[in-house]
Amino acid sequence: MNETLAGFEQRRLAELKDHITTRAAAERDRRPRRRISLAVAAGAVAAAVATVATVTSMGGGDPAYAVSKDSDGIVYVTVRDFRDAEGLSRQLADLGVPALVDFVPAGQKCRDERGTVVTDVPRGLYYPPTQIPGDKEGLGWRMQIDTKLFKPGQTFVWTLEVDPVYGWTGTSTILMHDPVAPCVLVPDDRRHNVQTVSAWPATSLRGYEVGGKTVGEVRPEIDKRGLKVTYLITEPHPDSDRLPPEIARSVPYVMYPSKQNTPVGEDWFVWQADERQPGTIRLMVTPKLNGRAGVDQ
């Protein structure tokens, strides 16, 4: 499906605004989300369930996924663990959904050459995945698919990716013409936005401002507190001059997974820190600060 550059940039900007709105709501609730949320509501229709398949998760508790089909041909899917993507694909196929489900770890992506996208998707064939109500962990997805609306030679491709910056999960759903190539994992060379998120403060560095200091200045404080340190290597957002000021301030930097092995110098700048794991501080560092982020070099 062809798309003009201007249209693509407008769509990405809209997605970015929605993403930041979601993050702001999470901060207000003081319960940070750990994944991207696609907020598209789907009404549930009560019907007799003809078939149900569940698979227990590796750690017990809630099932990894549950798939059911009602007498009207609607398939309901609830997923909490995508690591058995192949098994979920088989269960969907058994219930009449021609599907490929892929799990993509952080730092990787599916190779682009997979097939041709269906542009005239029937209305109501499927709804984008939404959060599972009452899921306290926020790790699950649910969706519904109308098996009656598939045309011959079509495959539903459902991909879940782990964000390499924050570890939350994002999902994409695409209808494609057959044949669809399998997901071949390759190193992720895409640009990922890095936000200024006050919902994830470096709690162990509370009272010590890291923004604008060099790595050489911050490391002694971290060592004094007996903490370990890791780095997220970033660089100023290349489109910051074209973005609205509020967006540029919220997403001042980007990261590339392929550049994370770059040696970090003592003269590099720290602009944010978080504690992703207890006892380990992650410093977001860059050789050059972004003036629009509110800190000039």
Side-chain angles (χ1 to χ4, degrees), residues 95-160:
L95 296 184
V97 180
L100 282 177
V101 183
D102 300 305
F103 174 77
V104 181
Q108 294 183 293
K109 67 175 183 177
C110 292
R111 195 163 59 193
D112 294 335
E113 302 83 4
R114 300 197 65 183
T116 305
V117 176
V118 176
T119 57
D120 56 340
V121 179
R123 185 179 182 86
L125 188 148
Y126 63 87
Y127 295 91
T130 61
Q131 297 178 34
I132 300 174
D135 184 0
K136 295 180 180 180
E137 296 297 326
L139 301 177
W141 301 89
R142 71 172 187 176
M143 70 179 308
Q144 67 184 57
I145 306 167
D146 189 342
T147 59
K148 302 187 302 295
L149 298 179
F150 282 102
K151 295 179 180 179
Q154 294 180 341
T155 296
F156 171 71
V157 181
W158 191 2
T159 305
L160 180 136

Side-chain angles (χ1 to χ4, degrees), residues 52-70:
V52 177
T54 62
V55 174
T56 303
S57 62
M58 296 176 63
D62 292 326
Y65 59 81
V67 186
S68 63
K69 184 178 182 179
D70 67 23

Side-chain angles (χ1 to χ4, degrees), residues 57-80:
S57 62
M58 296 176 63
D62 292 326
Y65 59 81
V67 186
S68 63
K69 184 178 182 179
D70 67 23
S71 57
D72 291 329
I74 306 296
V75 170
Y76 301 91
V77 189
T78 300
V79 183
R80 288 184 170 85

